[in-house]
Structures are given as C-alpha cells and as structure tokens.
Amino acid sequence: MKSQKPILVITLFLLLLAACSPGGSSSVQTSEQAGAPDLEQTQQAELTPGEKPAQISLTDANGNSLSFEGPPQRIVVAGKAGQLILHSAYMFPEAVERFVAMEQRKQRDISMLPLVDPKLDEKTQLEKDAAAEQIAPSQPDAVLMKTYMAESLGEPLEALGISVVYFDLETPEQFNRDIQVLGTLLGNPERAEQVLSFYQDRLDRVEAGLNGLAPDERPGVLLIQHDSKGGEIAFKVPPEEWLQTMMVQLAGGEPAWTEAAEGGGWTVVNFEQIAAWNPEKIILVDYFSDPEEAIAGLVQDEKWQALKAVQESNIYAFPGDFLSWDQPDPRWILGLEWLAKVIHPERFDSLDMLEELKTFYSEMYGLDAETVEKEVLPLVNGDIDL
C-alpha cells in the first residue's frame, strides 16, 4: 500500500492557510541567508483601530532570523525538554494568554504550571513526542522547541509553513540570549531585562564571595548522578561543556571527573574510578528519587566509607523541588548559589537558601509567600538547609 503521508501534509497545509491567525504571519531566513544578524526587538505599542502591529525580529538559538507582524498570539511548546522552555517562558506574564498547547514531561510526576497559569485547563496537552500533524490543529503562530529537535520535529513543522523558534538554555550565556528572545517574542523586553538582572545580581554575589580565591583553594568536587531506574544502580558524570560542570567551576570547585566524561550525554563510571578520584566533596544528583535516601544507603557501604568525602561527611544531595536545581532550567541559579555554599561554606555562611528560594518564586513567578509555603516548600528535597 502506498503511503498517504503526502496527502496528509497537503491537507494540513491548506487547513493552516485557511485558519491562520493574523498575529502569526511571519517570514523565516536561515543564518546563511540573513547573515545571522543580532537580536532586534520592537516594542508593541497600543494600536489605534485599523493600525497594524509593529513587526518584531529575532535570531533564535539555531541562527534562524524570524520576523512576525507583532508578537505571536498562539504559541505551542513541543518536543523533549519542553518543560525547561515553559519554565523560562512563564517568567513572563504574557505566557498565560499566549500559550495554547504544550508537551509536558514531568520529571518527578508533578508540574509547576498549575501554580503559574490559572488557565492551564483550557490549553491543549500534547501527548509525548507529538508529531507535526498533532501540533498543527492548534493553529500555532509559533512553536518553541529545543535546538536538537530541529530535524525530527522542527523541519516537518516548517514544511507546513509553521514558524519554529529554537532554544538552547544550556549555559548561562545561552540562557541570557534565550531570555532576550522570549522577551522579544512575547513583546516584553523590559521583563527580559528584569529577569536577567535578577540572575546577574546572584552571579555577581557568588563571584564576590570567591574574590581572592587561590587555585589551590579550589577543592576537588565530584558531581555525580545516581540512577536506580530498572532496579540497577548506575553512577554517571556530565560532559565537560555541560551546565553542571560549569556550575561547579563558577562555585569555586575543581571538577574531578572531566577526564572521563564523554561528549553528548552522561557517562557511566564505576566505583573504582570514583575511588581513584577520591574527591574532597561529592555532590549527588537523583532525578527520579530522593537523593538524600540514596546518600543514606551509600554511606552504609564499606567501599564508600573508604572515600575521603564520606569520612569527612562531605557528601551532599543536590536540592530540587519540581525539578533538580542542577539542570538548564531557571532554577540553575539556585543550584549555583547552593553549590557555592557547599564548596566554600566559610565564604557563604550568611547565605540562606530557603530565603533565596522564596525570593526566586516571588520575583520570577509572582507567587506570594503563602503559596510558596504551601505548594513549593513541601516538595523541596536535598541538603538545602546547610
């Protein structure tokens, strides 16, 4: 039997042409076509009757230059790690009205979005790995996704005439750029500057706390993922260029594992390798279980008891709430502050992470103290209260 996929694509394309929202018309150029210009942004002023919205232009994480006739009014988030984009986008109040469909991947089977979006029930929840033909009926003016989804999902959507905006959010520099893109896309560059100012203030505080730190004062640190899925325990280390490694360095530590880390993802390491490193401090991450419980089991193991970090009680559970704070999610700034206090407690003895957490949710998501106390704090795990 011949495939009917071409017929389906043509049908969907015609459907989109007929139902396209006026606010979503756009043109797209690749970086080669447009020379990858710097980000440009045009604020949308109040319009008089009959007046057209001001055009906005941006360059996304894949180097594509896009133009829209005003901020897109129907936005969809799709693909793997979409929650990281959503959590960044919801730092902008416009996300509540503009986001119409999303693919959520809950790391700990609980979502933050009901706290920040009172209209969440009205929005389409896409199934995992939703394809272009499942996204198109939402009639999006723009679809947001991670850069590594370009070939598998972005290109089929672009073939239907749907604008795709790509994001990285994987390093502090990429985070800054992508927040500016969100500010342009949502028509609120002022909020983007407020968000980035919040992050820069905390980066500056960490840097100031480490002022004068000599190279030999940087302790050897092992940040390791504890993975017990499938009933077998595995230990993994992140690539040298990933955020977790950068955070250890920014917090004044010396990553012990980079010689063994491979590019492209977490690398499995055995205990013999961990023992050879014998780091001064061990930071344990667990994305699907309580990291404190994992540590409680490890310190009872005779092999682990031989490690310097275990003997000196310098093994710590990386905190998290809806997500672990070590990831390229807005919470990475909390993770960095916490790491600085763990690695150099004498330099950050006045840093109160619970207060930082409350301030983060207040200033970034507009949650009041009662909501944070009731809905967020009970989810916090890890060694936050040092």
Side-chain angles (χ1 to χ4, degrees):
M1 176 182 295
K2 293 184 178 180
S3 171
Q4 298 186 26
K5 188 173 181 180
I7 297 175
L8 176 59
V9 170
I10 293 171
T11 302
L12 287 170
F13 181 60
L14 293 174
L15 173 64
L16 287 167
L17 287 177
C20 183
S21 167
S25 58
S26 67
S27 61
V28 184
Q29 291 178 296
T30 65
S31 56
E32 290 80 6
Q33 294 169 323
D38 292 335
L39 181 70
E40 299 175 5
Q41 52 193 29
T42 305
Q43 299 180 34
Q44 184 183 27
E46 287 190 21
L47 303 178
T48 58
E51 183 181 359
K52 291 184 178 181
Q55 185 180 73
I56 62 170
S57 300
L58 58 87
T59 300
D60 70 10
N62 261 356
N64 298 324
S65 296
L66 300 95
S67 296
F68 296 87
E69 297 297 332
Q73 300 299 302
R74 297 182 60 82
I75 301 176
V76 173
V77 175
K80 294 179 181 178
Q83 76 272 23
L84 307 183
I85 299 174
L86 285 165
H87 293 171
S88 296
Y90 272 99
M91 294 191 288
F92 294 80
E94 291 80 7
V96 173
E97 298 296 335
R98 307 278 179 79
F99 284 68
V100 297
M102 58 195 65
E103 179 183 338
Q104 291 194 64
R105 296 181 185 233
K106 304 171 188 175
Q107 193 173 85
R108 292 179 174 173
D109 295 325
I110 188 167
S111 172
M112 180 190 76
L113 298 190
L115 292 184
V116 296
D117 189 345
K119 298 185 176 182
L120 189 64
D121 290 343
E122 303 172 14
K123 297 172 182 181
T124 301
Q125 298 299 317
L126 302 170
E127 65 181 48
K128 185 177 179 181
D129 297 321
E133 57 265 27
Q134 296 166 300
I135 296 170
S138 295
Q139 301 174 25
D141 301 330
V143 179
L144 316 187
M145 68 183 67
K146 297 282 278 185
T147 52
Y148 51 74
M149 298 300 300
E151 183 176 354
S152 61
L153 182 58
E155 291 178 6
L157 284 168
E158 290 168 346
L160 293 175
I162 298 174
S163 295
V164 179
V165 185
Y166 295 100
F167 293 83
D168 282 318
L169 299 165
E170 296 287 343
T171 69
E173 291 76 16
Q174 292 174 355
F175 181 82
N176 282 9
R177 178 202 61 207
D178 291 345
I179 291 298
Q180 291 181 49
V181 169
L182 282 169
T184 300
L185 195 69
L186 294 169
N188 195 348
E190 295 87 356
R191 175 57 179 165
E193 292 306 315
Q194 291 172 357
V195 170
L196 295 180
S197 177
F198 178 93
Y199 280 76
Q200 189 60 52
D201 178 65
R202 280 144 185 81
L203 284 166
D204 291 344
R205 276 195 260 161
V206 170
E207 183 179 2
L210 298 174
N211 186 42
L213 186 72
D216 60 0
E217 293 179 300
R218 289 177 169 268
V221 177
L222 174 62
L223 187 150
I224 194 165
Q225 181 190 161
H226 175 271
D227 187 348
S228 58
K229 289 194 302 181
E232 293 187 10
I233 296 176
F235 298 100
K236 305 176 182 179
V237 293
E240 184 174 4
E241 68 275 11
W242 275 22
L243 179 64
Q244 290 85 352
T245 308
M246 294 181 184
M247 289 169 65
V248 169
Q249 294 167 328
L250 287 171
E254 188 64 39
W257 68 88
T258 53
E259 63 183 25
E262 300 175 1
W266 292 86
T267 301
V268 176
V269 295
N270 56 34
F271 178 79
E272 287 71 23
Q273 178 64 80
I274 295 171
W277 289 324
N278 199 19
E280 296 174 65
K281 295 178 185 283
I282 296 176
I283 314 296
L284 187 138
V285 172
D286 195 319
Y287 294 138
F288 304 102
S289 302
D290 188 340
E292 292 179 273
E293 292 181 4
I295 288 178
L298 293 179
V299 298
Q300 299 300 315
D301 189 313
E302 290 185 4
K303 294 189 301 182
W304 283 77
Q305 290 173 0
L307 299 178
K308 180 179 180 180
V310 175
Q311 292 173 355
E312 298 180 358
S313 299
N314 282 328
I315 180 169
Y316 304 92
F318 214 118
D321 42 58
F322 297 95
L323 292 175
S324 177
W325 294 351
D326 70 294
Q327 298 171 91
D329 171 269
R331 294 162 184 76
W332 70 264
I333 196 65
L334 294 173
L336 174 62
E337 291 183 284
W338 177 84
L339 270 175
K341 183 165 186 175
V342 165
I343 297 172
H344 294 284
E346 73 288 352
R347 289 174 174 260
F348 296 93
D349 60 327
S350 63
L351 179 61
D352 186 331
M353 285 308 305
L354 281 176
E355 287 304 313
E356 286 297 308
L357 173 64
K358 294 174 184 178
T359 301
F360 171 81
Y361 275 99
S362 171
E363 296 193 23
M364 294 298 96
Y365 294 109
L367 299 183
D368 58 45
E370 183 180 355
T371 299
V372 174
E373 191 80 27
K374 181 180 177 182
E375 303 292 345
V376 179
L377 294 188
L379 300 177
V380 175
N381 57 20
D383 290 312
I384 185 175
D385 192 14
L386 299 171

